[in-house]
Structures are given as C-alpha cells and as structure tokens.
C-alpha cells in the first residue's frame, strides 16, 4: 500500500507529464486518437514550352509530351528539322525557320491517332540559349 505522500507524488508527476507533453489523450480512456488524412494531391505539371504547351500538345500524354518538347528544343537550337516518335503512338516533326535577329519561327506538326495537327511558334535566344517563347 502506498503512503499518501507517494500517491500525491505519482499523481503530480502524471499530471505534469500530460501538461508538459500536451498529449491531450492522457485523461482519456478511449482508444488512440484518429487523424483525418487527405489524399495526396498531385501538383500540376508546369506548362510545356512553345506549341507543345498549347492546344496541340494537350492531347499528348506526359511521356509523349516530354519527347516532343525535347525534339522541339533540339530543332530550335540546331536550326535543323527534327522528327520524334512517342511511346504511345504519337509522332511529329519540327521545322525551324531561319534566324531573324535573336529569334526564329518554327512549325511543329504532331500526329495523334494518325490525324495531323500543326502549330507555329517562335523561339528566341535568352542568355545565349534558345527558348521557345510561343
């Protein structure tokens, strides 16, 4: 049997632990607290540069869009026609125009389910690198 001073010490220590740790469930005899968890939300993808980021590129899945963007950048940088073929059946080519000052126009033709779609864009040099601006 515990003596009164020992019992008072035990209760005081228990109370101090609950208050100091702010555990909220110390005085409760219920089960563990439940927490609501929200489903993870996927961050939206940044827009693809140039015409692939527009209406023409919206019908492409993510992997095919990456392939199209890489080919578009290569064509713009080199000034030479570049073809590409995605993993899911889409394909296309980019025809860059001649440099005009620090910019060049280009045409990107994309075939989705065999149907051609075409868009025109422009790329300009920024800090020595070609960037699709539209």
């Amino acid at each position: 049997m515990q003596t009164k001073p020992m019992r008072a010490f035990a209760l005081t220590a228990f109370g101090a632990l609950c208050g100091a740790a702010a555990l909220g469930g110390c005085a409760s005899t219920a089960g563990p607290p439940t927490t609501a968890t929200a489903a993870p939300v996927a961050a939206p993808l940044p827009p693809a540069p140039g015409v692939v980021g527009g209406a023409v590129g919206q019908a492409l899945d993510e992997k095919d869009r990456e392939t199209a963007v890489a080919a578009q950048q290569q064509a713009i940088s080199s000034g030479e026609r570049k073809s590409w073929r995605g993993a899911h059946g889409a394909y296309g080519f980019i025809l860059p125009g001649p440099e005009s000052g620090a910019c060049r126009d280009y045409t990107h033709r994309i075939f989705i389910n065999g149907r051609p779609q075409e868009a025109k864009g422009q790329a300009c040099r920024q800090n020595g690198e070609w960037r699709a601006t539209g």
Side-chain angles (χ1 to χ4, degrees):
M1 179 170 195
Q2 290 183 345
T3 62
K4 277 189 173 187
M6 186 61 107
R7 194 175 304 151
F9 174 77
L11 289 174
T12 302
F14 180 75
L17 284 173
C18 283
L23 293 176
C26 287
S28 173
T29 57
T34 59
T35 56
T37 57
V41 177
L45 293 173
V51 301
V52 179
V56 171
Q58 295 305 311
L60 297 172
D61 69 15
E62 184 179 349
K63 288 288 188 190
D64 286 354
R65 188 171 314 142
E66 288 173 6
T67 302
V69 167
Q72 180 177 278
Q73 187 60 40
Q74 288 175 356
I76 290 167
S77 297
S78 70
E80 298 175 5
R81 180 179 188 220
K82 177 72 178 166
S83 297
W84 62 271
R85 182 168 294 279
H88 299 102
Y91 61 96
F93 60 89
I94 303 91
L95 293 170
E99 286 186 49
S100 176
C103 298
R104 74 166 24 122
D105 293 333
Y106 65 94
T107 302
H108 195 147
R109 182 164 250 195
I110 298 175
F111 295 83
I112 302 171
N113 297 324
R115 287 186 240 142
Q117 299 182 44
E118 186 175 279
K120 296 185 182 291
Q122 187 176 64
C124 297
R125 286 185 197 247
Q126 296 175 357
N127 299 324
E129 293 186 33
W130 285 99
R131 304 243 188 241
T133 58

